[in-house]
């Protein structure tokens, strides 16, 4: 909240919320002090005990307030009026409020009875005798504040309650020494809500602004006062000094003095309430501002946390809602948020440690990232420069070869290189095959002598196979004819034929078969000439070559006769083998 403007637009005052059912106080004989006679109102002992406790805390209250505090689920305040009437001499009424509601208080006898049902060690204090004669307007506003804390929000969607009726004390004097005294309207002690103590001042706009502001320097003086107490750590019984307020409210959970809440009741307009808050803000700056001279944080050791709200907001939303404005903060906050010191020493060191820890974590993260990056660089493929964690299949990453330990290309790069080599070979083959085919065609256009001889040999082999087939067929037919002829012979004739076959002489040794083909003739002629030359060389006693005759040594008739012989000799061959063999024969005969 800034400048208290959020409190300007408030709804009209509404009755405080009806809280959950109150836990009953312990029963004692004192609760029955006024119940010796029959109860004409029909109230229960439990309700009468709770009524004594409530009046012991609040000092003075109406039946309507007791109804909202103790029996909010009842249809009307009749049950609480019956309890008050049944308490008899334990309670008394001194007057009525401006709304004509009768006020009730404890008597001396009632105070004694109330102290017996209050928690151990609690006293009632004053009994507010005569306070109701003038309506007790301020006490009624304090009661409404307490009821709003205990019972929570009037709005069903509001936040919960805080504390119980026994968590409160009213009109508690804080007097560390004579002449130094403050008396808060109410004191809340709710350690279960992380709130060891909360001092409450209810302002009804009846006091001047300086009077309200003057209370806070007195609070600061009381909080700063220190008293001597025995030192528990000293074996010799020495004394030490402690803060007076820490003796009353030990175990603080926050830095600084106890907080003070100012609840502005509904006796003024929204504009008046806002101006009054602003005046209190500026008048008490010395008490709530703290010491910020350190530059890094604000020291709240000697500062009073001052929070303000209105009774309308407290009744409608409950004490745990965001209805509080702390002097020095901006905007409405919950009570715990408002009481926190986001810029105090503890917060500063906590944030500093958090920043240092964050810096350490960031340094560690950067170091881990650098190590990961170094590791990634050590595994990057020398071709595509991808790291090992950039492959879908980890087996595709680069590995180090042996024995050098050098990083080898990754599998995708190896496959790409293999495919490129395959494509290059395929392209080269595609360019080379047509040239080779053309050269082969040129080379095979004119057959060589070896090729011709091979072809001739194959032809002779084929012809020989055909002749063998023909001979087998002829033998088969002959055998069939002989078998048919023998079937026509009689028995005597068949026996005679078989005897004739037995008397057939053995066949003579086969004579060499004359060459049949041109190739065989050529080979036979070559062997004959080689044998003749070998015989001539042996006869002379030394190897010699056959002399070749010159062309002029033969007559034309001899030359023509030799040419005709050669023609006849190779007439069975086909061209061009025939011409080549004739030319070779002419060279061997010495004929150009």
């Amino acid at each position: 909240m800034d400048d208290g403007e959020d409190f300007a637009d408030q709804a009209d005052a509404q009755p405080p919320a009806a809280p959950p059912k109150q836990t009953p106080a312990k029963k004692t004989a004192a609760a029955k002090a006024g119940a010796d006679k029959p109860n004409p109102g029909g109230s229960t002992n439990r309700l009468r005990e709770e009524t004594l406790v409530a009046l012991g805390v609040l000092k003075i209250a109406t039946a309507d307030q007791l109804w909202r505090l103790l029996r909010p689920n009842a249809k009307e305040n009749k049950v609480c009026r019956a309890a008050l009437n049944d308490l008899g001499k334990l309670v008394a009424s001194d007057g009525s409020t401006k709304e004509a509601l009768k006020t009730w208080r404890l008597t001396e006898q009632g105070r004694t009875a109330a102290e017996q049902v209050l928690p151990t060690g609690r006293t009632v204090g004053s009994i507010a005798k005569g306070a109701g004669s003038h309506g007790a307007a301020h006490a009624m506003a304090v009661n409404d504040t307490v009821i709003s804390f205990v019972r929570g929000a009037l709005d069903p969607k509001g936040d919960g309650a805080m504390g119980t009726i026994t968590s409160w004390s009213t009109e508690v004097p804080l007097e560390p020494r004579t002449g130094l005294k403050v008396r808060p309207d109410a004191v809340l002690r709710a350690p279960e809500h992380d709130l060891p103590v909360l001092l409450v001042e209810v302002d009804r706009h009846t006091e001047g602004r300086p009077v309200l502001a003057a209370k806070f320097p007195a609070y600061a003086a009381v909080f700063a006062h220190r008293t001597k107490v025995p030192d528990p750590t000293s074996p010799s019984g020495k004394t030490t000094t402690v803060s007076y307020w820490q003796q009353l409210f030990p175990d603080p959970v926050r830095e600084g003095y106890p907080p003070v809440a100012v609840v502005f009741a509904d006796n003024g307009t929204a504009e008046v309430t806002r101006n009054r808050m602003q005046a209190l803000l500026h008048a008490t700056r010395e008490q709530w501002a703290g010491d910020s001279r350190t530059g890094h944080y604000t020291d709240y050791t000697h500062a009073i946390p001052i929070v303000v709200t209105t009774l309308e907001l407290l009744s409608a939303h409950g004490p745990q809602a965001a209805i509080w404005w702390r002097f020095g903060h901006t905007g409405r906050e919950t009570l715990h948020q408002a009481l926190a010191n986001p810029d105090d020493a503890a917060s500063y060191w906590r944030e500093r440690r958090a920043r240092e820890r964050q810096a350490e974590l960031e340094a560690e993260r950067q170091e881990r990232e650098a190590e990961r990056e170094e590791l990634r660089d050590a595994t990057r493929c020398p071709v595509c420069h991808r790291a090992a964690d950039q492959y879908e299949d980890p087996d595709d990453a680069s590995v180090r070869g042996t024995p050098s330990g050098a990083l080898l290309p990754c599998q995708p790069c190896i496959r790409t290189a293999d495919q490129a080599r395959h494509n290059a070979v395929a392209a080269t083959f595609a360019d080379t095959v047509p040239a080779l085919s053309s050269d082969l065609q040129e080379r095979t256009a004119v057959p060589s002598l070896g090729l011709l001889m091979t072809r001739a040999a194959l032809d002779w082999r084929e012809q020989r196979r055909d002749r063998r087939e023909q001979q087998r067929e002829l033998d088969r037919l002959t055998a069939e004819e002989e078998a048919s002829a023998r079937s026509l012979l009689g028995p005597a004739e068949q026996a005679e034929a078989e005897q004739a076959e037995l008397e057939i002489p053995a066949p003579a040794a086969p004579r060499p078969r004359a060459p049949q083909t041109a190739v065989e003739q050529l080979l036979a002629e070559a062997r004959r000439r080689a044998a003749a030359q070998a015989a001539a060389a042996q006869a002379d006693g030394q190897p010699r070559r056959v002399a070749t005759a010159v062309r002029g040594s033969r007559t034309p008739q001899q030359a023509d006769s030799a040419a005709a012989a050669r023609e006849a000799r190779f007439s069975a061959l086909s061209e061009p083998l025939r011409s080549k063999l004739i030319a070779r024969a002419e060279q061997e005969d010495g004929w150009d």
Side-chain angles (χ1 to χ4, degrees):
M1 181 183 301
D2 189 11
D3 297 337
E5 293 181 359
D6 287 350
F7 289 99
D9 301 327
Q10 300 176 8
D12 295 338
Q14 300 181 9
K21 193 172 183 180
Q22 174 67 29
T23 303
K26 61 182 180 179
K27 295 182 179 181
T28 65
K32 302 178 181 180
D36 295 332
K37 298 179 181 181
N39 300 320
S43 62
T44 63
N45 290 338
R46 179 178 177 183
L47 179 57
R48 292 197 301 276
E49 289 178 2
E50 293 176 3
T51 302
L52 288 174
V53 170
L55 291 177
V57 173
L58 301 177
K59 306 297 189 295
I60 185 172
T62 65
D64 185 74
Q65 289 176 334
L66 293 174
W67 164 49
R68 287 187 282 119
L69 178 64
L70 303 179
R71 292 295 183 270
N73 296 326
K75 293 182 179 180
E76 55 184 355
N77 63 8
K78 182 179 179 180
V79 293
C80 291
R81 292 202 310 269
L84 290 169
N85 291 329
D86 290 343
L87 285 173
K89 297 179 181 180
L90 299 182
V91 296
S93 175
D94 293 334
S96 301
T97 65
K98 64 180 181 180
E99 292 85 4
L101 298 175
K102 185 182 289 188
T103 60
W104 295 85
R105 63 173 178 84
L106 294 173
T107 63
E108 294 291 343
Q109 187 179 0
R111 175 167 56 185
T112 303
E115 289 178 348
Q116 294 185 42
V117 295
L118 281 169
T120 304
R122 289 285 298 271
T123 59
V124 174
S126 66
I127 57 176
K129 186 175 181 179
S133 59
H134 301 288
H138 184 76
M140 298 300 105
V142 173
N143 292 349
D144 288 339
T145 301
V146 173
I147 294 171
S148 297
F149 269 88
V150 173
R151 288 306 181 189
L154 177 66
D155 185 354
K157 298 181 180 180
D159 291 283
M162 183 176 290
T164 65
I165 186 61
T166 56
S167 302
W168 286 87
S169 301
T170 57
E171 299 297 331
V172 178
L174 304 180
E175 189 175 7
R177 60 176 175 82
T178 303
L180 182 59
K181 179 180 179 180
V182 292
R183 186 188 295 271
D185 292 328
V187 177
L188 170 63
R189 302 188 67 178
E192 68 276 11
H193 292 281
D194 199 23
L195 190 64
V197 62
L198 177 66
L199 308 180
V200 179
E201 290 284 347
V202 178
D203 181 68
R204 297 178 52 252
H205 302 238
T206 56
E207 298 176 331
R209 296 178 182 176
V211 175
L212 176 63
K215 294 181 180 181
F216 291 91
Y219 272 116
V222 170
F223 295 151
H225 184 78
R226 300 181 70 85
T227 59
K228 290 184 178 183
V229 296
D231 187 357
T233 62
S234 175
S236 59
K238 293 183 179 180
T239 60
T240 185
T241 59
V242 296
S243 297
Y244 166 75
W245 68 268
Q246 288 183 343
Q247 291 181 283
L248 299 176
F249 315 114
D251 303 324
V253 296
R254 298 175 184 85
E255 180 186 11
Y257 293 149
V260 178
V262 180
V263 178
F264 290 89
D266 57 344
N267 282 5
T269 63
E271 183 69 20
V272 171
T273 300
R274 182 173 61 249
N275 293 338
R276 198 167 178 85
M277 288 181 179
Q278 288 292 325
L280 184 62
L281 168 72
H282 297 296
T284 59
R285 181 176 295 274
E286 183 178 352
Q287 284 75 47
W288 60 259
D291 185 2
S292 59
R293 291 174 295 178
T294 60
H296 298 293
Y297 56 85
T298 301
D299 184 5
Y300 291 98
T301 304
H302 305 291
I304 302 175
I306 302 176
V307 293
V308 298
T309 190
T310 63
L311 184 58
E312 291 86 348
L313 290 174
L314 183 61
S315 301
H317 303 288
Q320 299 192 55
I323 61 171
W324 302 94
W325 172 37
R326 177 176 173 177
F327 290 167
H329 291 196
T330 57
R332 292 180 183 176
E333 299 174 303
T334 65
L335 186 57
H336 289 91
Q337 292 172 342
L339 295 179
N341 298 317
D343 58 342
D344 64 356
S347 300
Y348 167 76
W349 289 110
R350 185 167 55 250
E351 292 177 0
R352 178 170 177 176
R353 285 192 295 269
R355 289 194 300 269
E356 293 175 352
R357 179 57 180 164
Q358 185 65 27
E360 292 176 359
L361 294 176
E362 180 63 20
E364 292 176 0
R365 187 194 65 79
Q366 293 179 359
E367 183 178 356
R368 290 193 301 269
E369 185 65 25
E371 292 176 355
R372 283 196 297 268
E373 190 64 26
E374 183 179 357
L375 181 60
R376 295 178 72 227
D377 291 341
T379 60
R380 290 187 183 276
C381 173
V383 179
C384 65
H385 304 292
R386 283 187 293 176
D389 58 352
Q390 294 178 304
Y391 295 90
E392 295 183 0
D393 186 355
D395 293 337
D396 286 344
S398 299
V399 296
R400 296 195 176 277
T402 55
S404 63
L407 201 62
L408 301 179
C410 63
Q411 294 300 317
C413 290
I414 293 176
R415 290 193 290 268
T416 301
D418 291 343
Q419 185 63 35
R421 285 194 296 270
H422 174 76
N423 295 339
V425 171
T428 303
F429 182 76
D431 295 338
T432 305
V433 166
L436 293 176
S437 301
S438 176
D439 183 64
L440 181 61
Q441 291 177 359
E442 292 178 359
R443 290 176 178 273
T444 57
V446 179
S448 61
L449 176 60
L451 181 60
L452 294 175
M453 293 181 67
T454 303
R455 288 179 178 176
L458 293 175
D459 293 343
W460 172 79
R461 187 175 181 181
E462 188 68 26
Q463 292 172 6
R464 184 178 180 183
R465 186 184 305 110
D466 293 341
R467 285 197 299 272
R468 287 179 179 175
E469 292 292 336
Q470 292 174 3
Q471 185 63 38
R472 280 195 292 270
E473 183 65 20
L474 180 60
D475 294 341
R476 186 182 62 79
L477 293 175
T478 302
E480 290 178 357
E481 289 177 358
E482 288 180 357
S484 177
R486 286 187 179 188
S487 64
L488 299 176
L489 297 177
E493 294 176 347
Q494 289 183 4
E496 185 180 353
E498 292 176 359
Q499 184 64 33
E501 289 178 358
L502 293 174
E503 294 177 356
I504 295 175
R511 290 180 297 177
R513 183 173 60 85
Q516 299 295 325
T517 63
V519 175
E520 290 179 343
Q521 293 176 5
L522 180 62
L523 294 176
E525 181 65 22
R527 285 193 293 270
R528 183 185 62 77
R529 290 194 179 191
Q533 289 181 359
Q538 186 176 6
D540 295 342
Q542 58 181 2
R544 63 187 182 94
R545 296 183 58 184
V546 179
T548 57
V550 295
R551 186 174 182 181
S553 63
R554 294 184 180 182
T555 62
Q557 293 79 7
Q558 293 176 339
D560 294 339
S561 176
R566 286 192 295 271
E567 290 289 342
R569 196 172 144 194
F570 300 112
S571 61
L573 298 177
S574 60
E575 293 294 342
L577 179 59
R578 178 175 173 274
S579 299
K580 289 186 177 182
L581 292 177
I582 292 174
R584 184 172 180 179
E586 287 178 354
Q587 291 178 0
E588 291 179 352
D589 290 342
W591 195 263
D592 292 336

